[in-house]
Amino acid sequence: MADLFDTAEPAAEPAKGPRPLADRLRPASLQDVIGQAHLLGPEGSLRVMLDSGALSSLVFWGPPGVGKTTIARLLAAETDLHFVQISAIFSGVPELRKVFEAAKIRRGNGQGTLLFVDEIHRFNKAQQDGFLPHMEDGTILLVGATTENPSFELNAAVLSRAQVMVLERLSDEDLEALLARAEAELGKALPLEPQARTSLREMADGDGRALLNLVEQIAAWKVASLGTAALSARLQRRAAQYDKSGDAHYNLISALHKSVRGSDPDASLYWFARMLEGGEDPRYLARRITRMSVEDIGLADPQAQRVCLDAWETYERLGSPEGELALGQAVTYLALAPKSNAGYVAYKAARASAKSTGSAPPPKHILNAPTEMMKDQGYGKGYEYDHDAEDSFSGANYFPDTMSRASFYQPKERGFERDLKKRLDWFEGLRKKRQR
C-alpha cells in the first residue's frame, strides 16, 4: 500500500522498457511548465506565494491535460515537502487514515507532506471533512485537483482553508510549444503539412496530454508528409469536453442565451452547435430557446414565441438530425428579433408586489354580487361596464383600495412594443381625464 501513495519516492534503478512521451517530457521545474502563466509567471499568484514562503493548501480547478498533477509534484519539490498522491476514485476512509498516519510520523521526523488528491470532488462530505484537522495542524498541505466547479462540489469548510486556482486550457501557442518540445525529444519533425499541424492542435482541444498521445501515434507512422485530410482519416478528432450535467453545460447555455440577447446570430449558432456536438438533448435546447423568446423578446415580437414552439414541434416530428435545423432557425430568428425584457421585468415586479401586499381584497365595485347579502355589502356597487363607456374605457381603479396604483409594464421603443407603448400612453391619458 505504501507504494501506491508514496509515488514521489525515487526508484532504485531507472525504469526498464519504453516510457510514454508525456512521461518523458514531464517538466523538471516550474519554469519548464508550458501554459498557466497567470499562476506561474513572475507576477503569477502561485509564484508570489512560493517566493514569499507562504504556500497554503490549494485546489486546482481546470480541464484535463493542463498540468494539475505536474504542478503539484513540482510544488512539493520546490518546497521540500514529501509528495503523496491519491485518487478519490480509488481511495476510501481506510486509505486516508494510513496517509494521515504516515504524514504524522513524517512530521515528527521534521518532514512535511504535500498530499495531492486527484478528483477531490468525488469524495463525499464526510471524507472531505476528514482532511480538516490535518490541514489545520499542519500535518498535510492539501492540493486538490478537480474538473468540476469547486463552489458546487467541495465543502465550504475545505474551501475556506484552501485557495482555489483556476488552470486554463492550453492555448494554440502553448500547444505549438509542446509540439516543438516533443519533436526535440523524438529527434525528428512530425511529417505534417502546416495546415495539418494546425488541425492536430485543434484535435487536442487544449489538452496537452491528448496532444502528446496523438504525437506518439503520428511519430510511429512511416509516411513522408500528411495533409489535413490524410491526418483526419488516420486520427479521430478528440471529443469536445462537455458534461451534460456539469459546469460545461451551464457555461455553454449561458453563452448561447447571452449571444441571443446580444443579437449575434453567428455566435448564437456557434454555441447552439457546440452543445449539440457535446451530446446535449435537443429537447432541452428547444425548451431554453422558448424561454429566451419570452424573457428577452416578449411583446417586442410576439411571433418569436410561436416560431420557437413551431420549431420544437418540427423537431418532435422529424427527430434527429433533421429536426435540429428547425431549432437552429429559431435561434437565428431570436438573435435578430427586437429585444425587450419589459414583460419579464413587469412580471417580477407584479409578483413582488403581490407578495408584499398579502391578502388585500379586490375593490368591491369589481366583485360579482350573486346574492342580496353581497349586494348589501356593496359588492358590484358603482361598477362601470367598460363597453358602455366612451372609447370603451372607464378609467376605473382595479387595484385593492389599500394599495396605490402601480406601474409594472414599461414597454420599450422597439418592435411591436412601440405600438403597445402608444396604447398604454393613450389609456393613461384617458384615465387622467376620467378621474378629474
Side-chain angles (χ1 to χ4, degrees):
M1 184 62 69
D3 291 339
L4 175 61
F5 296 117
D6 295 341
T7 57
E9 296 290 348
E13 296 180 5
K16 299 290 194 298
R19 294 165 58 205
L21 184 59
D23 186 51
R24 286 150 56 192
L25 289 179
R26 195 179 296 276
S29 68
L30 288 171
Q31 289 76 15
D32 296 332
V33 173
I34 292 176
Q36 316 311 327
H38 63 294
L39 299 180
L40 302 174
E43 299 301 321
S45 51
L46 192 50
R47 184 74 263 169
V48 170
M49 289 177 69
L50 287 169
D51 291 343
S52 63
L55 184 64
S56 65
S57 290
L58 305 167
V59 173
F60 289 156
W61 174 27
V66 296
K68 295 187 288 291
T69 305
T70 294
I71 293 173
R73 263 181 203 280
L74 297 175
L75 283 176
E78 187 155 331
T79 55
D80 294 323
L81 295 173
H82 185 85
F83 182 78
V84 178
Q85 177 178 354
I86 64 173
S87 170
I89 298 175
F90 301 110
S91 304
V93 172
E95 290 81 8
L96 287 174
R97 287 202 190 101
K98 293 179 181 179
V99 170
F100 296 144
E101 287 301 319
K104 288 179 182 177
I105 295 171
R106 215 175 283 120
R107 184 184 179 204
N109 294 329
Q111 172 75 59
T113 300
L114 186 152
L115 175 60
F116 176 68
V117 183
D118 198 15
E119 304 284 350
I120 190 172
H121 62 278
R122 294 183 180 271
F123 276 135
N124 61 36
K125 184 180 186 300
Q127 290 169 320
Q128 290 182 32
D129 286 343
F131 291 106
L132 301 178
H134 308 290
M135 295 168 66
E136 291 172 346
D137 66 13
T139 299
I140 61 169
L141 188 145
L142 176 68
V143 177
T146 177
T147 56
E148 302 294 329
N149 191 326
S151 59
F152 296 148
E153 303 295 338
L154 298 185
N155 292 355
V158 172
L159 289 177
S160 70
R161 293 162 176 80
Q163 185 167 341
V164 175
M165 298 209 166
V166 180
L167 279 74
E168 299 173 347
R169 296 170 70 255
L170 298 188
S171 67
D172 191 62
E173 292 77 12
D174 294 334
L175 293 173
E176 178 56 36
L178 189 57
L179 264 179
R181 188 176 290 181
E183 290 174 324
E185 172 66 24
L186 294 169
K188 63 179 181 179
L190 293 176
L192 298 175
E193 296 175 4
Q195 190 57 46
R197 192 177 182 91
T198 299
S199 295
L200 176 63
R201 297 194 301 270
E202 292 174 352
M203 289 179 184
D205 196 26
D207 185 330
R209 185 167 50 244
L211 178 69
L212 294 178
N213 290 338
L214 294 173
V215 167
E216 279 196 294
Q217 293 182 55
I218 296 170
W221 297 341
K222 307 298 183 184
V223 294
S225 181
L226 288 171
T228 301
L231 180 67
S232 298
R234 287 171 173 252
L235 291 177
Q236 290 293 319
R237 181 177 292 271
R238 183 170 179 267
Q241 295 163 11
Y242 188 77
D243 181 353
K244 288 189 285 183
S245 61
D247 203 49
H249 165 84
Y250 296 105
N251 288 343
L252 266 61
I253 193 60
S254 176
L256 171 58
H257 197 150
K258 289 179 174 63
S259 298
V260 167
R261 183 181 295 155
S263 300
D264 189 332
D266 298 314
S268 300
L269 284 171
Y270 171 76
W271 294 117
F272 173 74
R274 277 281 301 274
M275 295 188 78
L276 288 177
E277 290 296 322
E280 186 58 74
D281 184 356
R283 291 179 178 84
Y284 168 79
L285 290 166
R287 182 174 67 83
R288 286 301 297 252
I289 63 176
T290 303
R291 170 192 163 182
M292 295 173 203
S293 72
V294 176
E295 181 177 327
D296 290 292
I297 296 167
L299 294 174
D301 184 352
Q303 181 66 17
Q305 184 177 335
R306 186 67 259 169
V307 167
C308 291
L309 292 173
D310 286 346
W312 195 343
E313 182 179 356
T314 300
Y315 173 80
E316 295 294 351
R317 288 177 177 272
L318 292 180
S320 295
E322 295 87 351
E324 281 95 331
L325 176 59
L327 298 178
Q329 289 175 346
V331 167
T332 303
Y333 186 96
L334 296 186
L336 294 175
K339 304 298 187 298
S340 174
N341 69 340
Y344 183 51
V345 171
Y347 166 76
K348 291 196 296 182
R351 287 293 298 265
S353 180
K355 183 177 181 180
S356 66
T357 53
S359 55
K364 288 185 178 180
H365 72 91
I366 63 171
L367 298 181
N368 291 331
T371 68
E372 287 298 323
M373 185 186 76
M374 296 171 77
K375 289 180 182 178
D376 292 341
Q377 293 294 319
Y379 282 39
K381 184 178 181 180
Y383 173 65
E384 297 180 61
Y385 188 56
D386 284 82
H387 290 292
D388 292 339
E390 184 182 355
D391 300 315
S392 295
F393 181 76
S394 67
N397 175 55
Y398 298 100
F399 281 95
D401 292 331
T402 56
M403 178 181 170
S404 299
R405 177 173 178 78
S407 178
F408 301 128
Y409 181 52
Q410 300 292 327
K412 310 288 185 182
E413 289 281 359
R414 288 189 290 276
F416 182 65
E417 279 199 328
R418 285 196 187 96
D419 294 330
L420 296 182
K421 188 175 189 309
K422 291 177 183 177
R423 296 183 198 178
L424 190 66
D425 292 342
W426 185 69
F427 283 127
E428 185 60 28
L430 288 180
R431 182 176 290 107
K432 290 179 180 178
K433 288 182 181 180
R434 301 290 191 270
Q435 291 173 354
R436 287 175 185 172

